[in-house]
Amino acid sequence: MSATDRLAELGITLPTPAKPAGSYIPAIQVGSLVYSSGQLPFVDGKLLQTGKVGAEVSPEDANKAARQAAINAVAAVAALVGLDHIKRVVKVLGFVASDPSFTAQPTVINGASDVLVEIFGDSGKHARSAVGVAVLPADTPVEVEIIVEVA
Amino acid sequence: MGATDRLAELDITLPEPVRPMGSYVPATQVGSLVYCSGQTPWVKGKLLHTGKVDVEVSPEDAYAAARQSALNALAAIDALVGLDNIKRVIKVLGFVASDPSFTGQPAVINGASDVLIEIFGAAGRHARSAVGMTALPGGTPVEVEIIVEVA
């Protein structure tokens, strides 16, 4: 099943890619790899949540934010090369704006990883790092960047 | 125009590559990509600024620090492959030492992105993530790593 068909089955609509917040572009291809810029959980121009995880934002809500950030990263890649040209997800880097006592970044970034596997199946399985940072742009709780292989 | 000529036109002199602060090298090449290590705004053996952005360091000074960090990243790549062999800038990852209330990381890291576009024009346009950190090595307000494609 193509990724486009799978998205329809999952009831996921890829949003229009968010306008970059600075002097950069949403995604870039070099050889068979596409790198996305760091994506935030914007939906219709608004962040799903703001604040630090473990303080203002619950881990459950942050997991949803990570899922949306990954969907937005897929949208950024799809706008450049077309969704059905994505062969494989190679790498995810997830940043979690964290209260200093919060150490469950992996569970939060699972929101991104899980939706990529839902969409791409075995080809969605990827290497990953998840880290806690002090603060993120616009006070988003989560930022996700991905690297994919394209046909 | 080659990058060397463009630097002369912009009146920018690349600094001497900064000696690594640990057990790593300034840059490595794999295939057509060069990865540089995280670079900080050292100029003649001193950091341009120290401290957290929006506390000890203004966002404007941090923008200048990001610009210098990007130039130091180019110096590291130049030493490995030669500046004029850089074909394209692919990716920038920018770390900003931030007070937890400061959410303007993208405007700070524009200092890096803008100078790359000044030097390389359309080939300087890249994907990017910008994040806020609790602290960075040596008390630098900014650290920047870049990936470039080389001829």
Side-chain angles (χ1 to χ4, degrees):
Chain A
M1 187 185 293
S2 73
T4 299
D5 291 342
R6 184 71 184 129
L7 275 184
E9 193 177 79
L10 291 166
I12 295 173
T13 309
L14 287 188
T16 306
K19 211 166 72 83
S23 329
Y24 60 94
I25 53 180
I28 190 165
Q29 179 171 4
V30 55
S32 63
L33 298 179
V34 174
Y35 293 74
S36 84
S37 292
Q39 298 290 327
L40 314 188
F42 278 114
V43 175
D44 298 331
K46 271 192 65 179
L47 287 170
L48 277 186
Q49 284 101 22
T50 58
K52 314 290 184 284
V53 183
E56 299 91 353
V57 178
S58 73
E60 295 71 28
D61 282 347
N63 177 281
K64 292 194 187 93
R67 177 185 173 92
Q68 186 63 46
I71 290 170
N72 291 356
V74 170
V77 173
L80 185 69
V81 296
L83 180 68
D84 290 328
H85 288 113
I86 298 176
K87 265 174 70 180
R88 242 186 349 152
V89 181
V90 174
K91 178 87 201 299
V92 169
L93 178 54
F95 302 99
V96 180
S98 301
D99 184 85
S101 65
F102 180 71
T103 60
Q105 287 81 20
T107 311
V108 171
I109 299 301
N110 280 350
S113 297
D114 290 347
V115 75
L116 293 171
V117 174
E118 283 172 37
I119 297 170
F120 298 104
D122 275 349
S123 308
K125 290 183 180 164
H126 50 267
R128 188 184 90 181
S129 299
V131 297
V133 298
V135 57
L136 290 168
D139 208 20
T140 179
V142 175
E143 176 170 344
V144 171
E145 56 166 68
I146 66 176
I147 304 173
V148 303
E149 185 184 17
V150 296
Chain B
M1 186 184 295
T4 301
D5 293 340
R6 183 69 182 132
L7 276 184
E9 193 177 77
L10 292 167
D11 203 19
I12 295 172
T13 308
L14 283 192
E16 287 292 307
V18 179
R19 218 163 55 92
M21 300 174 80
S23 322
Y24 60 94
V25 294
T28 61
Q29 179 171 3
V30 53
S32 65
L33 298 181
V34 174
Y35 292 75
C36 85
S37 296
Q39 297 290 328
T40 51
W42 286 93
V43 177
K44 298 187 176 118
K46 271 189 61 176
L47 285 169
L48 271 190
H49 306 282
T50 57
K52 290 200 182 34
V53 182
D54 226 20
V55 187
E56 297 92 354
V57 179
S58 71
E60 294 72 26
D61 283 347
Y63 175 96
R67 179 184 171 93
Q68 186 62 48
S69 300
L71 293 175
N72 290 1
L74 289 182
I77 295 166
D78 179 46
L80 186 70
V81 296
L83 187 69
D84 289 328
N85 287 313
I86 297 175
K87 266 173 68 180
R88 250 186 341 151
V89 182
I90 302 295
K91 179 86 201 303
V92 168
L93 177 55
F95 302 100
V96 180
S98 302
D99 183 85
S101 66
F102 177 68
T103 60
Q105 289 80 22
V108 170
I109 299 301
N110 279 351
S113 296
D114 289 345
V115 76
L116 293 171
I117 293 166
E118 282 172 40
I119 297 169
F120 296 103
R125 298 177 72 212
H126 50 267
R128 189 183 90 182
S129 296
V131 298
M133 312 305 286
T134 301
L136 290 168
T140 180
V142 176
E143 177 170 341
V144 171
E145 58 165 68
I146 68 180
I147 305 172
V148 301
E149 185 183 18
V150 295

